[in-house]
Amino acid sequence: KEQFMVRSTGDAKVIYFITKSIKEELIDHGIQNRVTVINSGLKGFERCSIQENTAKYRVNQEAVQYIVPYMTKRLISADMDDFYACIKDGFLNLNTFSDSFKKSIEELEPGSFVVALKGYEKDVAKKMYLSMWRRPNCVNCFVAKVEMEGLISKMRALGY
């Protein structure tokens, strides 16, 4: 909680995750009042602009490995096939997934959630997580195309 900050007051577009050293050495000493801070951390949460949203913010892929250790309810484990199926552009129909994974998604309210590759849920260094958005009958993967390619490459290295 103490490592999240916004650049402005009011309804922030982005909530940044900052390291303890940045917070303690710079922010706590008021550096942001003396200089213009361009970038001080990773995008942790981003305001969501999806119309039927029930949540104001979504988890951003950029800092997902720092947020996952604190997630409980909106973190779902997926086997290799379901994890791979999530790594797609556009809307993914829930029938794309295995019955057990589909059931886990259906139990969630619409909004942001994270998918972790089974066996790597606690291994934040490997960063085998996907920032997703649940809609009524489908999901979206909110991961940049270049990072999707990197995740697919990691999966190949794991034998997929």
Side-chain angles (χ1 to χ4, degrees):
K1 184 178 175 180
E2 294 175 1
Q3 288 180 256
F4 287 97
M5 67 169 274
V6 295
R7 288 177 56 184
S8 62
T9 58
D11 205 13
K13 182 179 175 187
V14 176
I15 300 173
Y16 292 93
F17 173 82
I18 57 173
T19 64
K20 265 190 176 159
S21 60
I22 294 287
K23 183 184 180 324
E24 292 170 354
E25 301 297 323
L26 300 175
I27 304 299
D28 287 351
H29 290 97
I31 191 75
Q32 71 277 16
N33 299 327
R34 296 188 299 251
V35 297
T36 301
V37 177
I38 303 297
N39 194 352
S40 59
L42 300 172
K43 288 182 182 180
F45 298 92
E46 203 163 355
R47 190 172 43 206
C48 187
S49 59
I50 296 174
Q51 295 301 319
E52 75 269 358
N53 67 342
T54 55
K56 205 171 197 176
Y57 291 91
R58 66 175 177 83
V59 175
N60 194 296
Q61 185 70 18
E62 192 174 307
V64 71
Q65 73 271 26
Y66 298 106
I67 297 168
V68 163
Y70 304 100
M71 293 182 72
T72 55
K73 297 176 184 168
R74 300 196 66 87
L75 177 64
I76 300 175
S77 294
D79 62 22
M80 282 275 209
D81 292 331
D82 286 326
F83 193 84
Y84 184 77
C86 287
I87 306 175
K88 302 272 188 294
D89 282 331
F91 301 111
L92 306 171
N93 189 300
L94 295 183
N95 293 327
T96 306
F97 306 111
S98 68
D99 290 340
S100 61
F101 187 68
K102 178 182 170 184
K103 185 177 184 296
S104 297
I105 293 171
E106 288 174 336
E107 290 173 356
L108 296 173
E109 293 291 321
S112 183
F113 69 101
V114 173
V115 175
L117 181 61
K118 270 194 182 130
Y120 295 88
E121 297 92 342
K122 303 288 183 200
D123 193 350
V124 294
K126 297 274 193 288
K127 197 179 175 189
M128 297 301 282
Y129 306 109
L130 299 170
S131 176
M132 305 286 289
W133 187 268
R134 163 124 163 62
R135 289 178 165 232
N137 297 314
C138 61
V139 295
N140 276 37
C141 182
F142 282 118
V143 179
K145 191 172 186 107
V146 73
E147 191 158 354
M148 284 182 183
E149 292 167 2
L151 286 164
I152 290 169
S153 179
K154 286 182 189 178
M155 290 179 72
R156 284 189 193 121
L158 295 171
Y160 187 77

